[in-house]
Amino acid sequence: MNRKDVDVVVIGAGPVGENVADRTVQGGLTTVIVEAELVGGECSYWACMPSKALLRPGQVLDAARAIPGAAEAVTAGLDVAEVLSRRDRFTSGWSDAGQVSWLEGAGIELVRGHGRISGEREVTVVGGDGTRTVITARHAVVVATGSVASAPPIPGLAEAGAWTSREATSVRTVPDSVAVIGGGVVATEMATAFAALGSEVTVIARHALLSGMEPFAAEAVLEGLRERGVTVLTDTATARVDRDENSVTIATSAGTVTAAEVLVATGRSAATADIGMEHVGLTPGDWLDVDDTLRVTGVDWLYGVGDVNHRALLTHQGKYQGRAAGDVIAARAAGRPVDDGPWGTHVATADHAAVPHVVFTAPEVASVGLTAAGATDAGLTVRVVDYDLGRVAGASLSRDGYTGRARMVVDEDRQVVVGATFVGPEVAELLQTATTAIVAEIPLSRLWHAVPAYPTVSEIWLRLLEAYGRPA
């Protein structure tokens, strides 16, 4: 058995854990990061990067087909082999050598193996060869193990060998048909990708698509999927799944669906089932309850960062949390003041009111902050301003027949934007301006002076402000 004493131990070497470790090392603390799989985590190999690599070729092809002069040059569909090959380049062929090199350059020590909390400030790591390493942290242990795909208790589902997002994004051969159980982001994005790659796709959603977003956004995605030949069954329950040697049969409340493969995309669970939560009085498998400095409630040396705390299951938000957590751990270790007030250096305040989110479907959905309903439920005095994105010069130039919509949600008492949603082709790049306006609480009277260039899609901000009217 090997033993190590360091300042900080981070369990999980995905983007979140890497950011925590980078900040603690920069803060002068010796740091070990523990990883049982690939350094770089879910986002790099099975989520953000490969899924967007699969989606982008279809987006580009759609854009070309929407512009006369370019459309005539499009004489075929996607080259599936090249799409998959490009995907492989973005995952580095599922090799983490580059990520390991980055850790070494940043001064972060890597211990490979499965890490479990085994005592106070103690993590025991079992390597692939059975070697045990006990690491004691002088200051903090950080859990950054993320989340895992969860599946509902549908009879026959497990026996049918259903895909999760991992199998979908790492596919080697595109099946003739795919049934997708779920109606959220993963479900709609993968339905979009496989339809573009030539699969016959059926989406089976227990409720509506994209719950929690503005209803008009969900309706646009539903229409977009159907325009691409996807069969979408909403408000449909799945009763049973069976596989034979040729296909998968799914019994639903709307009838029977048959496909070559079935993808389950119904949610995520905390990856805390086997990391020693019982040794700190917590329940294995539960999400970690944390304060705004990401410290776990009731355990002053333990931090839960990223998906594992269930605040915002998004890579960029987890990295943001990681920077705050790493900095506050270093500050506490050195006895420096902690800036833990709202929007302070050592807190993740944006998790509560300014989380940017993009759904890379066709059309895209980009949103940040509160929906109209959410703002009303929060007790704000709300005014909603909508505008047709297709009427903006930059949008109409980007493609003929551009269809989209923008919504600005305003807190009338403070005269600031508290939410924004954009729906349309390639609206993701509009999101940072909205995020900045919300985080900085920029008064609408000042936003009038942020002049958008013409003709760009960003001119939507001028149009939204004109529709609102100059504040008194």
Side-chain angles (χ1 to χ4, degrees), residues 183-185 188-189 192 208-226 232 234 357-368 370-372 386-387 389 403-407 420-425 427 431:
V185 175
T188 53
E189 286 189 348
T192 301
L209 300 184
L210 300 175
S211 60
M213 293 191 168
E214 295 284 10
F216 72 85
E219 290 166 7
V221 171
L222 173 62
E223 182 179 343
L225 287 170
R226 286 175 172 164
V232 183
T234 57
H357 197 164
V358 180
V359 186
F360 291 88
T361 44
E364 286 182 350
V365 179
S367 64
V368 61
L370 299 172
T371 62
D386 289 337
Y387 198 86
L389 262 170
T403 301
R405 182 173 171 184
R407 169 167 289 182
T421 297
F422 307 94
V423 178
V427 294
L431 196 53

Side-chain angles (χ1 to χ4, degrees), residues 239-296:
R240 182 172 181 82
V241 178
D242 293 286
R243 181 185 286 275
D244 61 25
E245 60 183 15
N246 298 314
S247 62
V248 178
T249 301
I250 303 116
T252 80
S253 58
T256 300
V257 175
T258 302
E261 298 291 347
V262 57
L263 162 63
V264 180
T266 54
R268 309 283 295 179
S269 300
T272 61
D274 189 25
I275 59 169
M277 290 291 94
E278 64 276 13
H279 290 290
V280 289
L282 300 176
T283 304
D286 280 1
W287 304 102
L288 298 182
D289 182 58
V290 300
D291 63 20
D292 270 7
T293 68
L294 294 311
R295 186 158 60 179
V296 175

